Structures are given as structure tokens and as C-alpha cells.
């Protein structure tokens, strides 16, 4: 099981080569307040002075420290170019450069920190990767994080506390991370910021190990017995106390080995019963054991994650395609595939089917039968047509002669006016289908033919050709739809079977109503012309009687219903201009000066005539609307949709498949080559990681 940690280090190296942190590997993150002794704990684990020292914020970038145990006799196997000694270090950012002097390692950490974070206490979340090879270390992966602080100093922003906390949470939120919470023994453990932050992401304490530093700096008369026994703050993974070197010891160049010996003597003297379970050496062994068990628990999930990512990057790399070799063949394939996907989207057989909204042929069907159909059904056959309008049309159609029957020309004029209202929604239907055909272009570009994203100029050219084709077919389709309405207006077919049946039923109803009205008339009212004549057909004797006989039929009745003559249209109290004394017209009547009332009671005949026209208009309008509702979608499909489907590929080939355009159209986007390389590198790294985990199974380390 000891070999599990080198496996994780190998995985870390694999992903470091591609600069990716998409895999959360098991590691140990060191968390603590500023100057709580975090760096001293790390140096004790390494056994060498290698971290920057000073007051205030010293660790300003995360330091990912990989400790690799090598046997003394194996040092020669790792030797590179003039390296001396059995301990050395390597930075990721310096590639293969070897550092055998730990003072140079410390200086390189400071230089790299200042390069990114500046020289005046600024922080950065860009980590520094350092690998230490030594026979005196155990296999560990540690992350030294900036210390928790409260007050900004130097050029630190006002929200430095929030920034540092977010940086810490970013690392310790990793469920594969063990949290090493460092607190000083000369402070109250109940106020430990490190344990507080750790508890936010690990409330059960299942992956938190507490370390108490500076045991030798506690006030006289006090000790850390209760703390070390876990009576103050219980931590499931345990609590270990250590003694750090003081600043004076560091200034006097006291070695880490001497400090560890002094630490052991201090623990034996001050805490003899706990000395075996505390100290730097015990901490190193504990961390090594915890990390190995943690790695063992994380490996199944880690393997599954690597396999999923490998599959995703394989698909991504396939979508980027291979570099173009045969330009003519590639261009023809892309054009053919786009045309096929465009047609399949209309037919509903596309590979990528939209689930969020209607698209392609389904939306065109919805436009025909829902949008267009409901719009036509909402058009009122008599909309915008009032009774006075109908009556006026009837009178205008009769000319100067009173009519005995309703003139047919009035029906034709009125019904044409109503049928004309169907043209606007029909043209709107064409516009909606045209817009959907435009949307299909973008749909195919985004989902169906991702290869086009490699060649932006080809994509633009295809969009332009298809848009031009649609633009060319739009006026032709509009003209056809306009003609469909014009055809209906050109000939009002009153012999249409449906219209004839409606007229027959309507005539029967009107005849029945007339008979009912005749039955209701008083018996004294004459029913025919012979009622007012003598036995021999002679008019009654006496001119006075004749005048009296005419008066009731012409005067009172005409004045009563207002339709007998023009005088009945005058307002009460008005007289004809010729009756006024001194009138210059002397008997002439100026009808243009007579105001026609806006609303008046219609006679029974006028009501009957209007009802007849309304019924005829409604009956014929419904017939025409049914025809338009059926013929407009057919015209749109033939002149727009099907024509574009049939001619799309030939149009694209004719416009784009030219030798002079090959180089221009098949020029990849600037970042495509870089994205392909990154995807290939990541896929290779994932495949290597999968092989490393497979080796664990073969060696029964899992």
C-alpha cells in the first residue's frame, strides 16, 4: 500500500504536463492563521529549510509540495547533469532543471511568487509545483496555503480576508483532500480559525487532522494536556502536537534534525505519557498512513472520473476533425452533409432533435395548422361590415330605379371586400415559414454539422447561399399566395355546390317567414291591387274620393315608416326649401342639403334584404376561407419549402465548389489548431492516468 502515494504523484505529474486541474487528486492541504507555524511544520516534514521566512504574509501563492521517498542507493539512478548529493528538488515551471541547493529552492519560490503576486504582499491562486526527492521523507503530497489574515497590508486589497478564505475553500472543498488544520498552542483552541474553516466543508471532521504548534511557548503554569487528549476540540482523525524552531533558532542556523531531537526531549519531559503520539516524526507517519488509506478509498471514483473525461475528450477531439488533406473531397463532404442535415431537419429525421422547442418541419406544421388556421378562423365573415354599409351597397347597386329584388352586384361587391381580408394572414403565413427556414440554418450549424465550426469562412458562405436562395423564393411564393386570393376574387361562383345548398335552405326560410308575416296582417288591409277598385276594375267615382284613397297609401304610410318618398327622410319640423316664403329656388329641391340620419329604424323589407345579403356573404366567405386554408400551405410547400429542399445541394455546389475558393473556404479558425492540440494532450494524459490505475490493479495495490 506504500506504493499508492507514488502512484498519485505520477498522476499529478501526468496532469501537470497539460496544466489541468480537472481531476481532484488526493492530497493534504495545510490551513492555518498567519504565523501559526504552517511553514515550520512543512519544513519539519521535509527535514530541510526550503520555505521563505519573514514577518507578515509570507506564503502568497499555493505551494503544491510532493515528497518522494528515494533509497540512498537509488540516488544515482535519478541523477541528471552534474547533480550532487542525495536530496534534490524540481519545479514544474523550470521544466527539467535540478535544484540540489535548498537555498536556491527557497529563492526560486520567492522569485516565482513575486513574478505573479508582486513584491508588496499581494496574493494569487496560481499554484507553484515543487517536487522534493529525499531518503529522509515519506511519500506525501502537501499544499501550503496562504495564512488566514484579517487586516490588509501593503498593496493587498481591502477584501484580502475574503480572497484568502475563498482560496482556501477552493482547495479544501475537494472531497479527496485531507485538511491539516494548524493552530498555535498559546492561543485558545475555541477561537481557532483553521478549525472553523475546516468545519465549513467538513462538518463531521472525517477528513480533518488538527496540529498544535508552539507547545514550548505556552504560559508558565499551563499545559496542553486537555487539548492533546481531545477534550477541548474533538477531531476524528486525531490531534498531534509539535514544537517548532523559534526565529532565534532559525537565525542561528539550527538544523531541522537538531530541532526534532530537541522536540523529542521536550515531549518526554513535559508530556511523557503522550510523547509517542506527538511530534514531527509521528505526524509524518500519520499523514502518510492517512493519505494512503484516503487514496485507496478515492481510487474507484477517481478511475470512473478519468474514464468519463477520456470519453468526453475523445468526442471533442473527433468533433475538431483531422487536418485537411484533400480539400476538394472535404468541401464536397461538408456541403453534402449540411444539405442532408437541413433536409432531415425539415423532415424530422435529423440526428440531433431539439427537445426544448419545436423546430424545422414540426414548426412549419404548427404554423400551417395552428397559427395560420386559428388566425383565419378568427376572421369574422362580417367584420367591418355594418347594416348601413350593406343597405348603402344595395341602394348604390340599383341606380336611379327602385328595385323589386336584391341586386346581385351588391352581394359581389361586399363579398369581395370580405374575401380580400384573407390576403394579409396568408402572406404572414409565408413570412413565418420563411423565418423558420432561416432558423434551420443556425440549428444545423450549431448541432448537426459541428465540423463547420472549424471553417468559419465556409460557414459564412453556406449561410449566405442558403439565405440568398430563401430570399429569392420569398417573392415568388408571395405572388402565388396573392394570386390564390386574386383567383377567389376574380369569379364569385354562386353555383358552387355548398353555396347553392346554403341558398336553397335560406330561400325556404325566407319564404316561410314571408308567409308567417302575411298571416299576421289584419284582414282590412288589401292583399292585392284589385282591393281598391270597383267590380269592373274601375276606380272609385269622384276625384275627391280618389284623392282620399291615395292619401292613406302614400301620405300617412310613407311618413310613418319614412321610406315612401324623400319627404319621409326629413327631420320633423323641416320643410322642403321650395315651401319657404321667398325661397330663391322657387320650388326646386336641393337634396344634397338634406341630412341623412345616422341611425334609423329599418323597414321590414330593408331588414329582410340585409339579412339575405349577410347570410349570403357569410356562406360564401366560409367556402373561400376553407379553400384558402387548404391552398396556401400547399403553395408554400411547393414554391418555398420543397423547392429549397430539392435545389439546396446543387445551389451550394454551384456557388461554392470552385477551385479558386478551396483555400479560402477551408481555412481553419485561428484557435482551432490550438484547441485540437490541447484536446489531444488532455486525452493522452487521461489515457496515461488510466494506465497507471490499471497497473495498480495488476499489482494488487488496490
Amino acid at each position: 500500500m506504500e506504493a499508492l502515494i507514488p502512484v498519485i504523484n505520477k498522476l499529478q505529474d501526468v496532469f501537470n504536463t497539460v496544466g489541468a486541474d480537472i481531476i481532484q487528486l488526493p492530497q493534504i492541504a495545510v490551513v492555518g492563521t498567519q504565523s501559526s507555524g504552517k511553514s515550520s511544520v512543512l519544513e519539519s516534514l521535509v527535514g530541510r529549510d526550503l520555505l521563505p521566512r519573514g514577518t507578515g504574509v509570507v506564503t502568497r501563492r499555493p505551494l503544491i509540495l510532493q515528497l518522494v521517498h528515494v533509497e540512498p542507493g537509488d540516488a544515482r539512478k535519478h541523477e541528471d547533469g552534474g547533480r550532487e548529493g542525495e536530496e534534490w528538488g524540481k519545479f514544474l515551471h523550470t521544466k527539467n532543471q535540478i535544484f540540489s541547493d535548498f537555498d536556491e529552492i527557497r529563492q526560486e519560490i520567492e522569485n516565482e511568487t513575486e513574478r505573479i503576486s508582486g513584491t508588496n504582499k499581494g496574493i494569487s491562486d496560481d499554484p507553484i509545483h515543487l517536487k522534493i526527492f529525499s531518503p529522509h521523507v515519506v511519500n506525501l503530497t502537501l499544499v501550503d496555503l496562504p495564512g488566514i489574515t484579517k487586516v490588509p497590508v501593503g498593496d493587498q486589497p481591502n477584501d484580502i480576508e475574503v480572497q484568502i478564505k475563498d482560496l482556501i475553500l477552493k482547495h479544501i472543498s475537494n472531497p479527496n483532500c485531507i485538511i491539516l488544520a494548524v493552530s498555535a498552542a498559546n492561543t485558545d483552541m475555541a477561537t481557532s480559525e483553521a478549525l472553523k474553516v475546516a468545519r465549513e466543508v467538513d462538518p463531521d471532521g472525517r477528513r480533518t487532522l488538527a496540529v498544535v504548534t508552539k507547545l514550548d511557548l505556552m504560559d508558565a503554569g499551563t499545559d496542553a494536556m486537555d487539548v492533546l487528549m481531545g477534550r477541548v476540540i474533538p477531531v476524528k482523525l486525531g490531534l498531534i502536537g509539535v514544537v517548532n524552531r523559534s526565529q532565534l533558532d532559525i537565525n542561528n542556523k539550527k538544523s531541522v534534525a537538531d530541532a526534532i531531537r530537541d522536540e523529542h526531549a521536550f515531549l518526554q519531559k513535559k508530556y511523557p505519557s503522550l510523547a509517542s503520539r506527538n511530534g514531527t516524526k509521528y505526524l509524518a507517519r500519520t499523514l502518510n498512513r492517512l493519505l494512503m488509506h484516503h487514496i485507496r478509498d478515492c481510487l474507484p471514483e477517481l478511475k470512473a472520473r478519468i474514464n468519463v473525461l477520456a470519453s468526453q475528450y475523445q468526442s471533442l477531439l473527433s468533433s475538431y476533425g483531422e487536418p485537411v488533406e484533400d480539400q476538394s473531397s472535404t468541401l464536397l463532404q461538408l456541403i453534402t452533409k449540411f444539405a442532408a442535415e437541413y433536409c432531415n431537419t425539415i423532415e424530422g429525421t435529423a440526428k440531433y432533435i431539439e427537445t426544448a422547442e419545436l423546430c424545422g418541419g414540426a414548426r412549419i406544421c404548427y404554423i400551417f395548422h395552428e397559427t395560420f388556421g386559428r388566425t383565419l378562423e378568427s376572421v369574422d365573415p362580417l367584420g367591418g361590415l355594418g347594416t348601413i354599409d350593406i343597405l348603402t351597397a344595395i341602394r348604390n347597386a340599383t341606380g336611379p330605379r327602385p328595385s323589386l329584388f336584391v341586386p346581385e352586384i351588391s352581394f359581389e361587391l361586399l363579398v369581395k371586400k370580405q374575401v380580400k381580408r384573407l390576403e394579409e394572414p396568408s402572406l404572414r403565413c409565408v413570412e413565418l415559414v420563411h423565418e423558420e427556414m432561416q432558423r434551420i440554418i443556425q440549428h444545423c450549424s450549431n448541432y448537426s454539422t459541428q465540423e463547420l465550426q472549424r471553417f468559419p469562412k465556409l460557414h459564412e458562405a453556406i449561410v449566405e447561399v442558403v439565405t440568398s436562395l430563401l430570399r429569392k423564393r420569398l417573392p415568388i411564393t408571395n405572388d402565388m399566395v396573392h394570386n390564390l386570393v386574386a383567383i377567389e376574387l376574380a369569379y364569385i361562383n354562386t353555383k358552387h355546390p355548398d353555396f347553392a345548398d346554403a341558398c336553397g335552405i335560406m330561400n325556404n326560410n325566407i319564404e316561410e317567414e314571408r308567409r308567417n308575416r302575411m298571416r299576421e296582417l289584419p284582414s282590412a288591409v288589401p292583399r292585392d291591387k284589385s282591393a281598391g277598385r270597383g267590380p269592373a276594375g274601375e276606380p272609385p267615382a269622384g276625384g275627391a274620393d280618389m284623392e282620399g284613397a291615395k292619401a292613406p297609401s302614400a301620405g300617412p304610410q310613407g311618413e310613418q315608416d319614412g321610406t315612401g318618398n324623400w319627404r319621409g327622410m326629413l327631420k320633423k319640423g323641416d320643410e322642403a326649401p321650395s315651401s319657404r316664403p321667398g325661397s330663391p329656388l322657387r320650388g326646386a329641391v336641393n337634396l344634397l342639403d338634406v341630412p341623412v340620419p345616422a341611425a334609423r329604424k329599418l323597414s321590414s323589407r330593408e331588414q329582410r334584404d340585409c339579412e339575405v345579403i349577410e347570410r349570403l356573404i357569410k356562406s360564401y366567405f366560409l367556402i373561400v376561407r376553407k379553400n384558402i386554408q387548404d391552398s396556401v400551405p400547399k403553395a408554400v410547400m411547393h414554391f418555398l419549402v420543397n423547392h429549397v429542399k430539392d435545389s439546396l445541394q446543387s445551389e451550394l455546389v454551384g456557388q461554392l465548389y470552385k477551385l479558386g475558393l478551396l483555400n479560402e473556404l477551408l481555412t481553419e479558425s485561428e484557435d482551432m489548431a490550438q484547441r485540437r492540440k490541447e484536446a489531444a494532450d488532455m486525452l493522452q494524459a487521461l489515457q496515461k492516468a488510466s494506465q497507471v490505475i490499471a497497473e495498480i490493479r495488476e499489482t494488487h495495490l488496490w
Side-chain angles (χ1 to χ4, degrees):
M1 187 178 292
E2 181 70 24
L4 285 176
I5 296 178
V7 167
I8 293 300
N9 290 340
K10 188 181 296 185
L11 290 177
Q12 185 70 57
D13 293 341
V14 168
F15 292 115
N16 286 343
T17 58
V18 293
D21 56 355
I22 58 174
I23 296 292
Q24 296 178 324
L25 297 174
Q27 58 189 9
I28 300 172
V30 185
V31 180
T33 57
Q34 182 177 306
S35 302
S36 61
K38 298 186 291 80
S39 298
S40 297
V41 171
L42 289 176
E43 288 184 338
S44 298
L45 294 174
V46 176
R48 298 294 294 266
D49 293 331
L50 78 161
L51 299 177
R53 290 283 182 172
T55 59
V57 180
V58 177
T59 305
R60 297 186 286 129
R61 288 179 61 183
L63 175 64
I64 299 179
L65 180 62
Q66 292 177 261
L67 304 183
V68 181
H69 177 79
V70 293
E71 296 297 332
D74 296 338
R76 292 289 180 184
K77 297 180 182 179
H78 300 274
E79 186 171 354
D80 288 328
R83 178 182 52 80
E84 296 180 358
E86 57 184 8
E87 295 178 302
W88 70 96
K90 293 172 62 176
F91 287 95
L92 177 64
H93 63 273
T94 60
K95 305 303 179 183
N96 295 324
Q97 184 178 355
I98 303 297
F99 293 84
S100 57
D101 186 346
F102 281 82
D103 290 335
E104 293 180 2
I105 292 178
R106 182 191 309 108
Q107 187 61 46
E108 182 61 29
I109 293 175
E110 293 178 355
N111 294 339
E112 182 65 11
T113 299
E114 292 178 356
R115 186 178 68 85
I116 299 297
S117 303
T119 59
N120 198 15
K121 306 303 182 183
I123 68 167
S124 171
D125 62 351
D126 186 17
I128 299 174
H129 293 265
L130 172 61
K131 183 180 291 188
I132 300 295
F133 299 86
S134 172
H136 308 298
V137 299
V138 294
N139 292 312
L140 285 176
T141 299
L142 301 157
V143 183
D144 186 18
L145 297 171
I148 302 172
T149 186
K150 298 292 185 182
V151 181
V153 296
D155 60 356
Q156 292 177 343
N158 293 330
D159 62 341
I160 186 64
E161 178 185 2
V162 177
Q163 289 189 21
I164 292 178
K165 185 175 180 181
D166 291 342
L167 176 60
I168 293 173
L169 291 176
K170 176 183 176 181
H171 285 80
I172 66 176
S173 296
N174 174 10
N176 297 333
C177 174
I178 295 176
I179 305 171
L180 190 65
V182 179
S183 302
N186 55 359
T187 61
D188 191 348
M189 289 293 291
T191 62
S192 172
E193 289 288 338
L195 290 174
K196 177 184 176 183
V197 173
R199 188 165 292 182
E200 290 184 18
V201 296
D202 183 32
D204 297 332
R206 296 184 181 274
R207 52 188 181 91
T208 300
L209 174 67
V211 175
V212 180
T213 62
K214 305 181 181 180
L215 291 175
D216 57 333
L217 298 182
M218 297 189 67
D219 294 339
T222 62
D223 59 30
M225 184 64 71
D226 290 340
V227 173
L228 297 177
M229 294 291 291
R231 298 169 184 165
V232 178
I233 302 292
V235 181
K236 290 187 178 180
L237 291 186
L239 193 149
I240 300 174
V242 297
V243 177
N244 299 342
R245 291 179 298 168
S246 65
Q247 189 61 44
L248 179 61
D249 294 337
I250 296 172
N251 294 338
N252 293 334
K253 304 296 183 179
K254 184 176 182 179
S255 67
V256 175
D258 293 339
I260 291 176
R261 283 194 296 269
D262 292 345
E263 175 192 52
H264 180 69
F266 174 82
L267 291 174
Q268 289 289 351
K269 177 181 178 182
K270 190 71 175 180
Y271 306 98
S273 62
L274 302 177
S276 61
R277 299 196 303 272
N278 289 276
T280 301
K281 290 186 177 181
Y282 180 78
L283 174 62
R285 293 194 301 270
T286 302
L287 290 175
N288 179 264
R289 175 178 54 82
L290 291 175
L291 186 58
M292 283 191 299
H293 286 285
H294 197 61
I295 291 172
R296 183 192 59 188
D297 296 338
C298 296
L299 275 179
E301 182 182 352
L302 189 63
K303 180 179 182 296
R305 173 68 174 162
I306 289 175
N307 291 337
V308 170
L309 287 174
S311 176
Q312 292 177 351
Y313 274 92
Q314 182 65 60
S315 301
L316 182 62
L317 187 61
S318 299
S319 68
Y320 292 155
E322 297 295 332
V324 179
E325 296 179 357
D326 187 349
Q327 291 184 332
S328 298
S329 176
T330 301
L331 179 60
L332 192 58
Q333 289 177 3
L334 290 175
I335 289 176
T336 302
K337 185 172 182 179
F338 179 87
E341 290 294 339
Y342 190 93
C343 297
N344 291 339
T345 302
I346 295 177
E347 295 296 334
T349 58
K351 181 179 180 181
Y352 297 91
I353 297 179
E354 184 68 54
T355 58
E357 60 179 355
L358 293 179
C359 177
R363 191 170 188 85
I364 293 175
C365 178
Y366 182 86
I367 292 171
F368 285 157
H369 301 291
E370 298 295 332
T371 305
F372 179 57
R374 285 200 304 264
T375 302
L376 289 187
E377 291 174 0
S378 66
V379 177
D380 185 6
L382 301 175
L385 201 63
T387 304
I388 298 299
D389 299 327
I390 298 175
L391 188 59
T392 302
I394 294 174
R395 288 187 172 183
N396 288 336
T398 59
R401 297 173 299 280
S403 64
L404 296 176
F405 305 100
V406 178
E408 292 185 8
I409 189 66
S410 62
F411 161 72
E412 288 196 11
L413 291 174
L414 293 171
V415 79
K416 285 182 178 179
K417 178 182 177 182
Q418 298 306 103
V419 170
K420 185 70 175 176
R421 298 168 59 212
L422 298 176
E423 183 175 17
E424 182 179 353
S426 300
L427 294 176
R428 177 58 180 162
C429 175
V430 178
E431 183 181 351
L432 290 175
V433 174
H434 178 265
E435 291 175 357
E436 179 57 27
M437 300 283 281
Q438 286 283 135
R439 291 178 67 248
I440 295 176
I441 302 174
Q442 190 63 35
H443 173 82
C444 292
S445 301
N446 291 342
Y447 300 101
S448 303
T449 53
Q450 295 183 357
E451 292 89 344
L452 287 179
Q453 298 178 5
R454 295 177 56 192
F455 312 107
K457 291 186 178 180
L458 176 60
H459 177 255
E460 293 174 2
I462 289 178
V463 171
E464 178 61 30
V465 171
V466 181
T467 302
S468 177
L469 179 60
L470 291 172
R471 193 186 306 118
K472 190 187 308 179
R473 298 303 303 176
L474 181 60
I476 298 175
T477 310
N478 282 335
D479 290 343
M480 184 59 200
V481 171
H482 177 78
N483 288 335
L484 288 176
V485 180
I487 289 170
E488 297 290 347
L489 296 174
Y491 181 66
I492 305 301
N493 183 17
T494 55
K495 290 295 185 178
H496 192 284
D498 296 340
F499 186 70
D501 294 343
C503 289
I505 296 173
M506 184 176 62
N507 289 335
N508 293 336
N509 293 338
I510 294 175
E511 182 64 23
E512 183 66 26
E513 291 178 3
R514 189 186 69 79
R515 290 173 181 171
N516 293 337
R517 286 198 299 269
M518 292 297 292
R519 294 191 191 101
E520 294 173 359
L521 289 176
S523 58
V525 178
R527 294 176 181 266
D528 51 27
K529 295 182 180 180
S530 63
R533 297 182 179 271
E538 297 286 336
D545 293 340
M546 185 176 181
E547 293 288 334
K550 291 181 180 180
S553 62
Q557 185 176 355
E559 292 176 2
Q560 186 174 12
D561 59 20
T563 61
N565 52 40
W566 64 270
R567 291 179 183 273
M569 299 175 67
L570 298 177
K571 294 181 179 179
K572 293 182 179 181
D574 291 346
E575 296 181 356
S578 60
S579 64
R580 298 175 185 172
S583 173
L585 297 179
R586 296 183 179 277
V589 179
N590 186 2
L591 292 179
L592 299 178
D593 293 339
V594 179
V596 179
R600 61 183 176 82
K601 184 178 180 181
L602 302 181
S603 66
S604 59
R605 177 178 176 177
E606 290 175 334
Q607 290 179 350
R608 185 178 69 251
D609 291 347
C610 289
E611 290 176 1
V612 169
I613 293 295
E614 287 178 354
R615 293 178 183 180
L616 291 175
I617 291 173
K618 186 173 183 180
S619 175
Y620 195 82
F621 181 88
L622 295 179
I623 294 172
V624 175
R625 186 174 71 183
K626 183 178 179 181
N627 294 341
I628 293 295
Q629 190 170 353
D630 178 65
S631 59
V632 167
K634 292 179 179 178
V636 174
M637 287 298 297
H638 176 72
F639 287 92
L640 182 61
V641 179
N642 290 341
H643 188 279
V644 171
K645 283 172 50 183
D646 296 339
S647 60
L648 178 59
Q649 182 167 353
S650 60
E651 189 77 14
L652 288 171
V653 172
Q655 295 287 339
L656 303 179
Y657 191 67
K658 300 176 181 179
L659 292 177
L661 297 176
L662 290 179
N663 290 331
E664 179 182 355
L665 294 178
L666 295 181
T667 301
E668 286 188 325
S669 58
E670 297 179 357
D671 61 335
M672 182 56 67
Q674 179 64 26
R675 288 159 61 185
R676 185 190 296 112
K677 181 180 181 302
E678 292 176 355
D681 292 344
M682 180 58 69
L683 179 61
Q684 185 178 6
L686 291 168
Q687 290 173 345
K688 288 183 179 179
S690 181
Q691 292 175 0
V692 170
I693 294 180
E695 292 174 1
I696 299 176
R697 280 186 174 275
E698 293 175 0
T699 54
H700 305 286
L701 293 175
W702 197 322

